[in-house]
Amino acid sequence: MIKRIYNCLYKRIFIFIFIFCIVIVFFSLTNVHSKKIVFSKINPTENINKKVIIDNCEKYNMSIYYPNTKNSKVNNNIKFIINNYKRRIKYDTKHFIPTDDKDKVIMNIDYNITSVNKEIISIIFLVDYRYGQITNKEIITKTYNLSTGEELYLNDMFDEKLGYSDLLSIKAREALINNKKIDNRNLIYFIDDINFSNIKSFDGYTFSNSHLSIYFNSNKLSSKFIDIYEIQIPWIEVEHLLKNNILLIK
Protein backbone atom coordinates (compact mmCIF):
# COMPACT_ATOMS: atom_id res chain seq x y z
CA MET A 1 0.00 0.00 0.00
CA ILE A 2 2.74 2.44 0.99
CA LYS A 3 4.71 1.47 -2.11
CA ARG A 4 1.73 2.29 -4.31
CA ILE A 5 1.37 5.67 -2.63
CA TYR A 6 5.05 6.46 -3.22
CA ASN A 7 4.82 5.34 -6.86
CA CYS A 8 1.78 7.52 -7.38
CA LEU A 9 3.54 10.44 -5.72
CA TYR A 10 6.66 9.99 -7.86
CA LYS A 11 4.52 9.89 -11.01
CA ARG A 12 2.79 13.10 -10.07
CA ILE A 13 6.11 14.79 -9.32
CA PHE A 14 7.52 13.56 -12.63
CA ILE A 15 4.47 14.84 -14.54
CA PHE A 16 4.69 18.19 -12.75
CA ILE A 17 8.39 18.56 -13.60
CA PHE A 18 7.74 17.54 -17.22
CA ILE A 19 4.95 20.12 -17.61
CA PHE A 20 7.08 22.77 -15.91
CA CYS A 21 9.93 22.12 -18.38
CA ILE A 22 7.55 22.36 -21.33
CA VAL A 23 6.26 25.71 -20.07
CA ILE A 24 9.80 27.05 -19.60
CA VAL A 25 10.82 26.01 -23.12
CA PHE A 26 7.67 27.54 -24.57
CA PHE A 27 8.22 30.90 -22.90
CA SER A 28 11.90 30.86 -23.83
CA LEU A 29 11.05 30.34 -27.48
CA THR A 30 8.38 33.01 -27.31
CA ASN A 31 10.80 35.43 -25.73
CA VAL A 32 13.44 34.81 -28.38
CA HIS A 33 10.86 35.33 -31.11
CA SER A 34 9.63 38.57 -29.53
CA LYS A 35 13.15 39.98 -29.60
CA LYS A 36 13.61 39.30 -33.28
CA ILE A 37 14.33 42.51 -35.22
CA VAL A 38 13.20 42.50 -38.84
CA PHE A 39 14.15 45.46 -41.05
CA SER A 40 11.27 46.90 -43.07
CA LYS A 41 10.63 50.02 -45.11
CA ILE A 42 8.00 52.28 -43.54
CA ASN A 43 7.27 55.95 -43.07
CA PRO A 44 9.46 56.83 -40.05
CA THR A 45 7.17 59.67 -38.93
CA GLU A 46 4.01 57.57 -38.92
CA ASN A 47 2.03 58.13 -35.69
CA ILE A 48 4.58 60.72 -34.55
CA ASN A 49 3.51 64.33 -34.05
CA LYS A 50 5.73 67.40 -34.12
CA LYS A 51 5.69 69.64 -31.05
CA VAL A 52 7.09 73.16 -30.90
CA ILE A 53 8.33 75.53 -28.21
CA ILE A 54 8.95 79.19 -29.07
CA ASP A 55 10.38 81.53 -26.45
CA ASN A 56 11.63 84.97 -27.47
CA CYS A 57 12.65 87.50 -24.85
CA GLU A 58 15.04 90.42 -24.46
CA LYS A 59 18.01 88.09 -23.93
CA TYR A 60 17.49 85.19 -26.31
CA ASN A 61 15.43 83.67 -29.10
CA MET A 62 14.66 79.98 -28.72
CA SER A 63 12.81 77.66 -31.07
CA ILE A 64 12.58 73.94 -30.37
CA TYR A 65 10.90 71.28 -32.47
CA TYR A 66 10.65 67.78 -31.05
CA PRO A 67 8.69 64.56 -31.70
CA ASN A 68 5.82 63.20 -29.67
CA THR A 69 5.40 59.44 -29.97
CA LYS A 70 2.79 56.91 -28.87
CA ASN A 71 4.98 55.82 -25.94
CA SER A 72 4.93 57.95 -22.78
CA LYS A 73 8.29 56.60 -21.58
CA VAL A 74 9.96 57.72 -24.80
CA ASN A 75 8.22 61.11 -24.61
CA ASN A 76 9.46 61.66 -21.06
CA ASN A 77 13.01 60.90 -22.16
CA ILE A 78 12.71 63.37 -25.03
CA LYS A 79 11.32 66.07 -22.73
CA PHE A 80 14.26 65.52 -20.37
CA ILE A 81 16.66 66.31 -23.24
CA ILE A 82 14.68 69.38 -24.30
CA ASN A 83 14.42 70.69 -20.74
CA ASN A 84 18.19 70.46 -20.34
CA TYR A 85 18.66 72.78 -23.32
CA LYS A 86 16.02 75.18 -22.01
CA ARG A 87 17.87 75.35 -18.70
CA ARG A 88 21.16 75.83 -20.55
CA ILE A 89 20.10 78.95 -22.46
CA LYS A 90 18.54 80.46 -19.35
CA TYR A 91 21.72 79.81 -17.36
CA ASP A 92 23.97 81.23 -20.11
CA THR A 93 21.93 84.44 -20.30
CA LYS A 94 21.31 84.92 -16.58
CA HIS A 95 23.68 87.92 -16.37
CA PHE A 96 23.72 88.70 -20.08
CA ILE A 97 22.59 92.06 -21.42
CA PRO A 98 22.50 92.18 -25.25
CA THR A 99 23.26 95.48 -26.96
CA ASP A 100 20.54 94.93 -29.57
CA ASP A 101 18.40 92.18 -31.14
CA LYS A 102 21.32 90.97 -33.25
CA ASP A 103 23.33 90.39 -30.07
CA LYS A 104 20.81 87.96 -28.58
CA VAL A 105 21.69 84.33 -27.86
CA ILE A 106 20.02 82.11 -30.45
CA MET A 107 19.12 78.45 -29.98
CA ASN A 108 17.33 76.42 -32.63
CA ILE A 109 16.64 72.70 -32.22
CA ASP A 110 15.12 70.56 -34.92
CA TYR A 111 15.08 66.80 -35.53
CA ASN A 112 15.05 64.03 -38.12
CA ILE A 113 13.77 60.49 -37.73
CA THR A 114 14.90 57.24 -39.32
CA SER A 115 13.40 53.82 -38.73
CA VAL A 116 14.42 50.18 -38.72
CA ASN A 117 10.79 49.06 -38.66
CA LYS A 118 7.47 50.22 -37.21
CA GLU A 119 8.73 49.69 -33.65
CA ILE A 120 12.34 50.90 -33.73
CA ILE A 121 13.16 54.52 -34.58
CA SER A 122 16.23 56.74 -34.30
CA ILE A 123 15.91 60.45 -33.55
CA ILE A 124 18.61 62.95 -34.51
CA PHE A 125 18.33 66.24 -32.62
CA LEU A 126 20.07 69.05 -34.52
CA VAL A 127 21.16 71.86 -32.21
CA ASP A 128 22.26 75.26 -33.51
CA TYR A 129 23.52 77.45 -30.65
CA ARG A 130 24.83 80.96 -31.26
CA TYR A 131 26.38 82.98 -28.47
CA GLY A 132 27.98 86.22 -29.61
CA GLN A 133 30.51 85.41 -32.34
CA ILE A 134 30.53 81.72 -31.44
CA THR A 135 28.38 79.31 -33.44
CA ASN A 136 28.11 75.82 -32.09
CA LYS A 137 26.39 72.97 -33.95
CA GLU A 138 25.93 69.63 -32.28
CA ILE A 139 23.70 66.59 -32.37
CA ILE A 140 22.11 64.21 -29.92
CA THR A 141 21.01 60.80 -31.18
CA LYS A 142 18.63 58.39 -29.51
CA THR A 143 17.15 55.07 -30.64
CA TYR A 144 13.97 53.72 -29.06
CA ASN A 145 11.71 50.72 -29.18
CA LEU A 146 8.27 52.33 -29.34
CA SER A 147 6.56 49.19 -28.02
CA THR A 148 8.60 48.91 -24.82
CA GLY A 149 9.92 52.45 -24.44
CA GLU A 150 13.45 51.11 -24.02
CA GLU A 151 16.48 52.86 -25.47
CA LEU A 152 18.59 50.77 -27.86
CA TYR A 153 22.35 50.83 -28.35
CA LEU A 154 24.97 49.37 -30.68
CA ASN A 155 25.17 46.30 -28.45
CA ASP A 156 21.52 45.58 -29.19
CA MET A 157 22.32 45.19 -32.88
CA PHE A 158 25.89 43.90 -32.94
CA ASP A 159 27.46 40.83 -31.37
CA GLU A 160 30.17 41.95 -28.95
CA LYS A 161 31.99 38.64 -29.28
CA LEU A 162 32.69 39.38 -32.94
CA GLY A 163 34.61 42.58 -32.20
CA TYR A 164 32.28 44.89 -34.11
CA SER A 165 33.70 48.03 -32.46
CA ASP A 166 37.07 47.55 -34.20
CA LEU A 167 35.52 47.27 -37.66
CA LEU A 168 33.22 50.26 -37.14
CA SER A 169 36.20 52.33 -36.00
CA ILE A 170 38.20 51.30 -39.07
CA LYS A 171 35.33 52.22 -41.38
CA ALA A 172 34.92 55.57 -39.62
CA ARG A 173 38.62 56.36 -40.06
CA GLU A 174 38.53 55.42 -43.73
CA ALA A 175 35.49 57.60 -44.38
CA LEU A 176 37.04 60.60 -42.65
CA ILE A 177 40.30 60.21 -44.56
CA ASN A 178 38.36 60.19 -47.83
CA ASN A 179 36.37 63.30 -46.86
CA LYS A 180 37.95 66.14 -48.84
CA LYS A 181 36.24 68.80 -46.69
CA ILE A 182 38.42 68.00 -43.68
CA ASP A 183 41.89 69.53 -43.78
CA ASN A 184 44.85 67.49 -42.60
CA ARG A 185 45.25 69.21 -39.23
CA ASN A 186 41.64 68.59 -38.23
CA LEU A 187 41.79 65.10 -39.65
CA ILE A 188 44.68 64.22 -37.32
CA TYR A 189 42.55 65.11 -34.30
CA PHE A 190 39.66 63.02 -35.55
CA ILE A 191 41.86 59.99 -36.24
CA ASP A 192 43.73 60.27 -32.94
CA ASP A 193 40.41 60.45 -31.10
CA ILE A 194 39.19 57.27 -32.79
CA ASN A 195 42.49 55.46 -32.26
CA PHE A 196 42.46 56.35 -28.57
CA SER A 197 38.84 55.70 -27.63
CA ASN A 198 37.49 53.49 -30.45
CA ILE A 199 33.69 53.73 -30.78
CA LYS A 200 33.54 55.95 -27.68
CA SER A 201 34.76 58.71 -29.96
CA PHE A 202 31.47 58.59 -31.86
CA ASP A 203 29.27 61.54 -30.98
CA GLY A 204 26.16 59.69 -32.06
CA TYR A 205 24.74 56.95 -34.23
CA THR A 206 21.37 56.15 -35.77
CA PHE A 207 19.78 53.08 -37.33
CA SER A 208 17.72 52.95 -40.51
CA ASN A 209 16.44 50.02 -42.57
CA SER A 210 19.34 50.43 -45.02
CA HIS A 211 22.36 51.63 -43.07
CA LEU A 212 24.03 52.62 -39.82
CA SER A 213 24.98 56.31 -39.50
CA ILE A 214 27.87 57.46 -37.32
CA TYR A 215 28.21 61.13 -36.39
CA PHE A 216 31.08 63.35 -35.29
CA ASN A 217 30.56 66.76 -33.72
CA SER A 218 33.24 69.07 -35.01
CA ASN A 219 33.12 71.38 -31.98
CA LYS A 220 35.52 69.04 -30.17
CA LEU A 221 38.22 70.47 -32.45
CA SER A 222 37.51 74.18 -32.75
CA SER A 223 34.68 76.64 -32.17
CA LYS A 224 35.27 77.88 -35.74
CA PHE A 225 34.89 74.39 -37.18
CA ILE A 226 31.12 73.93 -37.24
CA ASP A 227 30.39 71.07 -39.62
CA ILE A 228 28.83 67.86 -38.36
CA TYR A 229 30.06 64.75 -40.15
CA GLU A 230 27.88 61.76 -40.92
CA ILE A 231 29.30 58.43 -42.04
CA GLN A 232 26.88 55.93 -43.53
CA ILE A 233 27.71 52.23 -43.37
CA PRO A 234 25.34 49.92 -45.31
CA TRP A 235 24.13 47.03 -43.17
CA ILE A 236 25.24 44.59 -45.86
CA GLU A 237 28.88 45.55 -45.14
CA VAL A 238 28.61 44.62 -41.46
CA GLU A 239 25.96 41.90 -41.70
CA HIS A 240 28.37 39.27 -40.40
CA LEU A 241 28.72 41.24 -37.14
CA LEU A 242 25.00 41.52 -36.39
CA LYS A 243 23.27 39.41 -33.78
CA ASN A 244 21.44 36.26 -34.86
CA ASN A 245 18.04 37.84 -34.22
CA ILE A 246 18.63 40.64 -36.77
CA LEU A 247 17.01 39.98 -40.16
CA LEU A 248 17.88 42.29 -43.05
CA ILE A 249 15.84 43.08 -46.13
CA LYS A 250 17.61 41.95 -49.30
Side-chain angles (χ1 to χ4, degrees), residues 182-195 221:
I182 308 177
D183 63 46
N184 289 333
R185 285 184 302 174
N186 291 324
L187 181 61
I188 290 173
Y189 287 107
F190 270 119
I191 299 304
D192 284 347
D193 191 23
I194 297 175
N195 288 338
L221 305 179

Side-chain angles (χ1 to χ4, degrees), residues 233-245:
I233 302 176
W235 289 117
I236 194 68
E237 293 183 7
V238 291
E239 181 180 10
H240 60 291
L241 300 175
L242 296 175
K243 289 187 172 181
N244 292 332
N245 64 319

Side-chain angles (χ1 to χ4, degrees), residues 117-132:
N117 52 39
K118 66 179 181 180
E119 292 184 342
I120 298 175
I121 65 167
S122 288
I123 305 172
I124 311 100
F125 293 98
L126 309 166
V127 183
D128 189 335
Y129 198 89
R130 302 174 191 177
Y131 198 147

Side-chain angles (χ1 to χ4, degrees), residues 150-210:
E150 297 300 321
E151 187 172 350
L152 301 180
Y153 304 92
L154 288 172
N155 285 345
D156 294 302
M157 303 293 284
F158 292 95
D159 190 337
E160 287 186 272
K161 297 177 183 178
L162 299 178
Y164 75 86
S165 60
D166 292 332
L167 179 60
L168 294 186
S169 298
I170 291 172
K171 286 187 172 294
R173 284 195 296 267
E174 291 175 348
L176 290 169
I177 291 171
N178 293 328
N179 190 322
K180 304 303 181 183
K181 295 182 180 180
I182 308 177
D183 63 46
N184 289 333
R185 285 184 302 174
N186 291 324
L187 181 61
I188 290 173
Y189 287 107
F190 270 119
I191 299 304
D192 284 347
D193 191 23
I194 297 175
N195 288 338
F196 180 75
S197 54
N198 206 281
I199 63 173
K200 291 182 180 180
S201 65
F202 300 170
D203 292 310
Y205 52 84
T206 57
F207 306 141
S208 77
N209 55 52
S210 60

Side-chain angles (χ1 to χ4, degrees), residues 33-200:
H33 179 71
S34 65
K35 291 183 178 180
K36 186 177 293 183
I37 298 176
V38 181
F39 288 42
S40 61
K41 295 181 180 179
I42 65 160
N43 177 7
T45 59
E46 186 177 355
N47 298 321
I48 296 178
N49 300 315
K50 175 176 281 192
K51 297 288 187 178
V52 59
I53 298 172
I54 303 293
D55 185 4
N56 298 327
C57 64
E58 68 278 2
K59 295 185 177 184
Y60 60 79
N61 291 340
M62 175 177 66
S63 63
I64 301 175
Y65 296 89
Y66 64 96
N68 184 69
T69 74
K70 63 183 182 181
N71 188 291
S72 60
K73 186 176 180 180
V74 172
N75 293 338
N76 288 336
N77 191 290
I78 292 172
K79 288 178 182 177
F80 178 81
I81 295 171
I82 298 304
N83 287 336
N84 279 342
Y85 275 100
K86 289 170 62 178
R87 283 191 289 268
R88 172 180 169 180
I89 195 170
K90 290 179 179 180
Y91 177 83
D92 287 347
T93 59
K94 185 175 182 180
H95 304 292
F96 176 63
I97 302 176
T99 56
D100 53 38
D101 286 346
K102 294 182 180 179
D103 194 36
K104 287 183 179 181
V105 175
I106 306 295
M107 184 177 71
N108 299 315
I109 300 178
D110 207 343
Y111 69 93
N112 290 321
I113 296 178
T114 60
S115 63
V116 170
N117 52 39
K118 66 179 181 180
E119 292 184 342
I120 298 175
I121 65 167
S122 288
I123 305 172
I124 311 100
F125 293 98
L126 309 166
V127 183
D128 189 335
Y129 198 89
R130 302 174 191 177
Y131 198 147
Q133 299 300 315
I134 298 176
T135 297
N136 183 28
K137 291 186 178 181
E138 60 188 41
I139 61 168
I140 295 177
T141 61
K142 295 288 183 179
T143 297
Y144 299 104
N145 185 318
L146 295 180
S147 294
T148 65
E150 297 300 321
E151 187 172 350
L152 301 180
Y153 304 92
L154 288 172
N155 285 345
D156 294 302
M157 303 293 284
F158 292 95
D159 190 337
E160 287 186 272
K161 297 177 183 178
L162 299 178
Y164 75 86
S165 60
D166 292 332
L167 179 60
L168 294 186
S169 298
I170 291 172
K171 286 187 172 294
R173 284 195 296 267
E174 291 175 348
L176 290 169
I177 291 171
N178 293 328
N179 190 322
K180 304 303 181 183
K181 295 182 180 180
I182 308 177
D183 63 46
N184 289 333
R185 285 184 302 174
N186 291 324
L187 181 61
I188 290 173
Y189 287 107
F190 270 119
I191 299 304
D192 284 347
D193 191 23
I194 297 175
N195 288 338
F196 180 75
S197 54
N198 206 281
I199 63 173
K200 291 182 180 180

